[in-house]
Amino acid sequence: MVPRASVWFDAVNQIYNFYVCDLQEKDSKAKQVLTSLQSLVETEVRFSASRCAKVLPLALSAYKDGLPPHYTQMHHQEKLDLALTILSGQARGPMYEEYVAQLEQACHRVWVDGRMGCEVLSLTGNTCHHPRHCVEGEEGGGGGGGERGIPTLPHSSGVTYISFCNCGRRQGQREDPFSMNDANFVFYSHLAESCCSRLDSISFPTFKPSVSDARGPPQDPPTLPAAPRGGSTPHPRLESGGWGDSARRVWGGEQG
């Protein structure tokens, strides 16, 4: 005897509620049944998860290999791309995207756990070799912004140059400058104390604007002469009455 349609609908609704409802509402035995059923049915998912879980530690080890004590975001991205390349070369299946997210989170935790470097560039394009820090007198200098636990120290790229003083008689080691004041004043003032300070100096006048915006008012664009009435816009032409006569500008055939 075939059951009625209402019986089939009730049975299907019960099965649907059993499999779709939250697992917290089921007892331990029902959870074991669902887990076993999922393991038997989703063979592709199990293979993908097993493969990705095997490759994930290798990719993370490639990211950690040769890391400096602190590094910039650019170096972090380069190492992350290398780790993702290793993961994508061996991981397969529908679980790949989930393990990519796990790898990115793991690499990001390694970077932010005391390895973030200063991102500020010097005037010559060299990166500060200090860890993430603040600079005294600068708001948000070095990416620190006065946060708790962030050290306060000046920028330094570790690069030095040999430069002359103002008069050219003495040389000195010059650190890679990170500001215009360091580049054009501090270095020369230090050498001048033992050399150039005995020489005569000339102070040149400098422009000091009285307002914050000293560019001046905007200039109006030049206006073209108005076209005569009753016709299209004319084009100027030159007429000459002969040798020695001055040229006359004519608009639309009429003398101006």
Side-chain angles (χ1 to χ4, degrees):
M1 181 178 178
V2 180
R4 296 182 179 181
S6 59
V7 178
W8 282 104
F9 293 153
D10 293 339
V12 170
N13 289 331
Q14 293 295 331
I15 295 175
Y16 176 81
N17 293 331
F18 179 79
Y19 284 107
V20 175
C21 66
D22 192 1
L23 292 177
Q24 296 179 357
E25 300 179 3
K26 302 181 178 67
D27 54 12
S28 59
K29 186 176 181 179
K31 292 181 181 179
Q32 293 178 1
V33 172
L34 290 177
T35 303
S36 177
L37 180 62
Q38 182 180 9
S39 177
L40 293 174
V41 174
E42 299 180 351
T43 55
E44 183 180 0
V45 175
R46 289 191 295 110
F47 172 78
S48 177
S50 176
R51 186 62 183 172
C52 293
K54 184 178 180 180
V55 182
L56 181 62
L58 301 178
L60 186 58
S61 298
Y63 175 85
K64 295 180 179 180
D65 185 27
L67 283 179
H70 41 265
Y71 47 95
T72 61
Q73 184 177 4
M74 180 181 297
H75 188 71
H76 161 71
Q77 189 62 42
E78 292 175 354
K79 297 290 289 185
L80 178 60
D81 293 341
L82 175 62
L84 291 175
T85 301
I86 295 176
L87 181 65
S88 63
Q90 303 184 37
R92 296 291 185 272
M95 299 297 294
Y96 172 74
E97 296 296 336
E98 180 177 342
Y99 277 84
V100 166
Q102 293 183 18
L103 178 61
E104 291 178 348
Q105 294 175 2
C107 294
H108 183 74
R109 287 195 298 267
V110 173
W111 180 46
V112 300
D113 188 17
R115 290 180 176 269
M116 297 182 68
C118 181
E119 303 283 347
V120 178
L121 297 177
S122 67
L123 297 182
T124 58
N126 298 312
T127 308
C128 177
H129 70 278
H130 288 314
R132 186 165 173 254
H133 65 97
C134 302
V135 177
E136 186 176 358
E138 294 184 6
E139 183 179 357
E147 298 179 15
R148 182 177 301 178
I150 301 298
T152 300
L153 65 161
H155 295 301
S156 176
S157 64
V159 180
T160 57
Y161 306 96
I162 301 297
S163 299
F164 288 90
C165 64
N166 286 322
C167 66
R169 295 182 179 181
R170 298 195 60 179
Q171 291 180 340
Q173 285 192 348
R174 179 180 187 177
E175 293 188 359
D176 196 11
F178 280 80
S179 66
M180 298 299 296
N181 183 62
D182 294 337
N184 298 329
F185 177 76
V186 175
F187 170 77
Y188 298 103
S189 63
H190 288 170
L191 286 183
E193 295 177 357
S194 58
C195 179
C196 309
S197 59
R198 300 188 300 268
L199 302 177
D200 295 336
S201 60
I202 301 175
S203 298
F204 292 94
T206 57
F207 174 71
K208 297 180 180 180
S210 58
V211 294
S212 58
D213 188 3
R215 292 177 298 179
Q219 300 292 334
D220 296 333
T223 57
L224 297 176
R229 298 180 180 178
S232 60
T233 303
H235 297 280
R237 57 188 176 88
L238 296 178
E239 288 186 354
S240 177
W243 295 102
D245 295 340
S246 60
R248 295 171 296 173
R249 184 177 298 274
V250 179
W251 290 93
E254 298 179 0
Q255 295 184 1

